[in-house]
Amino acid sequence: MSQTDTPRVAIVGGGVAGLTAGTYTARADFDTVVVDHGESILRRNAHLENVPGFPAGVNSRLFLDLLEEQAGRNGCLFEQGLVTDLQATDEGFRLRVESDEEFDLAADYVVVASWSDTDYLADVDGVGLLDRGSKTYVDVDECGRTGVDGLYAAGRIAEKPHQAVVAAGHGAEVAVALVDDSDVPYYHDWVAPEGYFTERGREVPPGCEEISEEERRRRERESIEVMSEAFAEQHPDEPTMHPSVVEKRERDE
């Protein structure tokens, strides 16, 4: 545990799995930092049509932008850089991050969600790596735990199907497992109407919140405003093309 008694979580990878995991750990009051390098492969998607809640689909780049905004609104911090080394220490973990300058991050827990990048895990005792042809995955249990206490993997790198909704679900599942494995009291991440627990003579469980009707309506208005602004215009970014196609087009010019 960190000296401040607030658990620190480092999320490696700012894609769907990483941002979802970070949202859950931050909402459970863990100090959470998302370390991202490059871009999520979802930005190559032309139009995301199989994510729940969007009957006509959604621009995948906007979807990722909203996931990042959600993680930030719930308390996640963000660092740009490539994790090049991870060491397990008596105090937790130390990550070396290569950016404009190299720097270290200390964490009590780490969630690996950086698809296809496992080099920094190769020398960590207890981490199993699975070679599947040209791909390497992290060996985990059903909740994303590796063979090292406090180290988890989520999403595609944990050999989950290559679908956004699966990555989001697994990111959430791994984050909840992490919280359950910690010493932080936690029952459920749920915002309930005022009186749901207390009028039954129960205390509000850890992780839950009761809100008044006035606050519920305020939050709904805010959500409408945020989403209306996000969808007011088409997203300016085009899909990122596969590198091999970019190279071919450049040769053909």
Side-chain angles (χ1 to χ4, degrees), residues 1-3 8 87-94 106-109 148-149:
M1 190 71 69
S2 64
Q3 293 180 353
R8 300 164 298 184
Q87 299 289 332
T89 71
D90 292 339
E91 292 77 31
F93 299 92
R94 186 163 299 279
D108 301 294
Y109 303 92
V148 178
D149 288 344

Side-chain angles (χ1 to χ4, degrees), residues 86-144:
L86 185 147
Q87 299 289 332
T89 71
D90 292 339
E91 292 77 31
F93 299 92
R94 186 163 299 279
L95 297 82
R96 174 57 57 89
V97 182
E98 184 178 292
S99 186
D100 294 337
E101 296 182 359
E102 284 192 337
F103 61 93
D104 288 340
L105 283 176
D108 301 294
Y109 303 92
V110 175
V111 178
V112 175
S114 53
W115 164 230
S116 79
D117 180 15
T118 59
D119 291 346
Y120 62 97
L121 299 171
D123 296 327
V124 181
D125 289 339
V127 174
L129 298 178
L130 306 172
D131 291 325
R132 300 284 189 263
S134 62
K135 309 298 183 185
T136 303
Y137 301 94
V138 179
D139 189 21
V140 296
D141 71 6
E142 66 277 6
C143 291

Side-chain angles (χ1 to χ4, degrees), residues 8 13 26 40 60 64 69 85 94 102 107 117 128 136 139 147 150 167 181-182 191 208 214 253:
R8 300 164 298 184
S40 169
S60 59
L64 282 165
E69 180 178 351
D85 187 56
R94 186 163 299 279
E102 284 192 337
D117 180 15
T136 303
D139 189 21
D181 291 343
S182 76
V191 180
C208 296
E214 180 182 5
E253 288 181 354

Side-chain angles (χ1 to χ4, degrees), residues 156-215:
R156 184 70 171 139
I157 200 167
E159 210 169 5
K160 290 297 180 179
H162 210 353
Q163 297 291 313
V165 67
V166 176
H170 195 237
E173 183 178 21
V174 170
V176 171
L178 184 158
V179 179
D180 285 341
D181 291 343
S182 76
D183 293 328
V184 173
Y186 186 76
Y187 169 72
H188 194 49
D189 186 342
W190 188 28
V191 180
E194 189 173 38
Y196 186 89
F197 295 103
T198 53
E199 289 185 23
R200 293 184 287 147
R202 293 184 56 187
E203 293 185 359
V204 178
C208 296
E209 181 184 10
E210 282 188 357
I211 59 173
S212 66
E213 179 66 10
E214 180 182 5
E215 175 62 11

Side-chain angles (χ1 to χ4, degrees), residues 47 59 61-62 65 228-238:
H47 193 66
N59 181 294
R61 288 149 297 285
L62 175 59
D65 290 348
S228 295
E229 181 178 353
F231 285 91
E233 298 179 358
Q234 289 187 322
H235 197 279
D237 296 343
E238 296 295 323

